[in-house]
Amino acid sequence: MLKVSGKAVYKGIVIGPVLVFGKEDQKIKRTKITDADAEISRVGKAGEQAQAQLQGLYDKALKEVGESSAAIFEVHQMMLEDEDYLEAIHNMIRTEMVNAEYAVAVTGDNFAELFSGMEDDYMRARAADIKDISNRLVRNLMGKEDINSADMKPSVIVADDLSPSETVQMDKEKILALVTVHGSANSHTAILARMMNIPALIGVPIDLNEIHTGMTAVVDGLKGEVIFEPSEEVCAETEARVRGEQEKLKLLQSLKGKENETLSGKKIKIYANIGSVSDVGYVMENDAGGIGLFRSEFLYLGRDDFPTEEEQFQAYKQVAQTMGSKNVVIRTLDIGADKQVDYFNLGKEDNPAMGYRAIRICLKQPDIFKTQLRALFRAAVYGNLSVMYPMITSVEEVKQIQDIVAEVTAELEEKEIPYKKPEQGIMIETPAAVMVSDELAEIVDFFSIGTNDLTQYTLAVDRQNARLDDFYYPHHKAILRMIKMVADNAHKCGKWVGICGELGADLELTEEFLRMGIDELSVAPSMVLKVRKVVRESEV
Ligand code: PEP
Ligand code: MG
């Protein structure tokens, strides 16, 4: 039994089998072998397994994101059969008498280097694919499971760290819990874990070489600890606690369909935050009144090229239609900082959180922005959509956005494409936006306060830096005064104001937000009923 503590980002408890998620740059040992034929036959088996995995991924992607995005898995299947590639691996095994893992990894690196030196853009881009299929073969040879495999059992995912694009590609139904050695409590992975309603522990100091796929683990988000290979006694105790938690959840279910109204009759809207179309299920399940933040950038992650206007239109339309008359606030892309996407070619920055991100990219590369706006305005015909813009710092930026919006609507008008200009709001997540919120309130329809970034920028604490978690203190008076100031400025102009950062779900502050007159709280779907409970028990 091995017990290790970490930081809990979602307070659930679960027991289940472990799946160790190997990083792509896994260290591969070179070992001498005696039977080259046996080693080559291992490569063959790993290849067959990879073909089946890729077919599973293709089928899943086809259903979820469409044919053009799924095609990459077909390309990978073809590359796996490439004669030059396979011959190079076999040759190396025979001439150097080395293990299959090593031969595949070195051949993968050699081919990737070859491709990346080519003139042609398409061929250069194939370098990453060669690395990808080689990593897949190595994973199969090492007996490590593929996190995307269609036949994966529901598991506790243990990893060094997870990027947002890795998390977004996982089959959420199959994740019982997340345990990572690194990661900070305010990262997007943590946010996703809360959204998916799964226990998650980060900053867990474990040696991944000692943890194996197939072990049993108890992930206890309430105590902030994970226990590998628990004793029978711990298993029994955990199972009893899991049942207790399920009972509490059942009690919360009785709040479905009830008003978000305090004992003295004050009302507030409780909406949910989502990152993908499939999350709408969680919104419905938890009876949220609407969607207060659809992080649209997740449509751009985990793929090789920009989503087209049509792909985006279909995604936004589906959310709008499913939510019917309920309000859906879609935020335009917030790429940059921790959400890096290769094809944006953003380049390395010393200070990405204060760098080229979000609305800054949109204003500097209006073609990307206009594609998204066209998709949004077309989708607005199908439901009750609002659009909001992230990382605003000034009135001038909003005016530039308004000019681009006017160009987009004029183009749609001219081409007689059906559209609707949705309600236009902005995120208040920089201290600059707070300080000029009186002027901003005059030119937008609503505010949504992003307390995650507002805390980062106000307290000068990088939200991604796990060492600073103790200094990341969103209850700081400075933050609470800013929220009050923004709410007052919005209301003076007759505009509504919500909170969509994680602080909106902080039950210790719900009463304070009610007193400030906040109109809407947008929280992880799993928090909707918990916030409703506090509101309904409040005297405010
Ligand atoms: C925020 O900053 O509070 C927010 C909601 O946006 P994100 O967490 O996606 O940066
Ligand atoms: Mg933000």
Side-chain angles (χ1 to χ4, degrees), residues 188 293 295 331 334 427 429 450-453 463 500-501:
H188 283 88
L293 168 64
R295 288 183 165 93
R331 171 175 78 184
D334 189 1
M427 289 197 61
E429 51 183 346
T451 53
N452 308 336
D453 278 317
R463 65 192 263 198
C500 64

Side-chain angles (χ1 to χ4, degrees), residues 9 34 44 54 56 104 107 117 145 164 208 226 242 289 330 339 388 390-391 396 421 437 441 527 531:
V9 294
T34 50
L54 289 165
V104 170
T107 308
E145 281 191 47
L208 284 182
V226 52
V242 168
I330 302 185
K339 285 170 286 191
M388 71 175 171
M391 284 293 294
E396 291 68 28
K421 183 179 158 194
S437 53
M527 290 302 295
V531 179

Side-chain angles (χ1 to χ4, degrees), residues 33-44 93-94 97:
I33 50 126
T34 50
D35 186 349
D37 286 337
E39 217 52 23
I40 288 172
S41 122
R42 285 182 64 223
V43 176
I93 293 176
R94 281 197 202 288
M97 293 304 277

Side-chain angles (χ1 to χ4, degrees), residues 7-76:
K7 206 170 262 280
V9 294
Y10 181 77
K11 296 188 191 314
I13 179 164
V14 83
I15 181 166
V18 166
L19 189 155
V20 179
F21 177 51
K23 277 308 220 189
E24 302 292 286
D25 54 355
Q26 45 208 334
K27 280 248 169 307
I28 291 142
K29 283 205 194 95
R30 176 193 171 112
T31 46
K32 276 271 171 215
I33 50 126
T34 50
D35 186 349
D37 286 337
E39 217 52 23
I40 288 172
S41 122
R42 285 182 64 223
V43 176
K45 287 212 182 84
E48 282 167 23
Q49 197 184 342
Q51 290 288 2
Q53 290 163 342
L54 289 165
Q55 189 59 46
L57 281 177
Y58 176 82
D59 294 341
K60 178 171 184 273
L62 190 66
K63 252 193 271 148
E64 292 177 5
V65 286
E67 198 169 345
S68 59
S69 304
I72 187 66
F73 299 116
E74 274 185 328
V75 173
H76 283 197

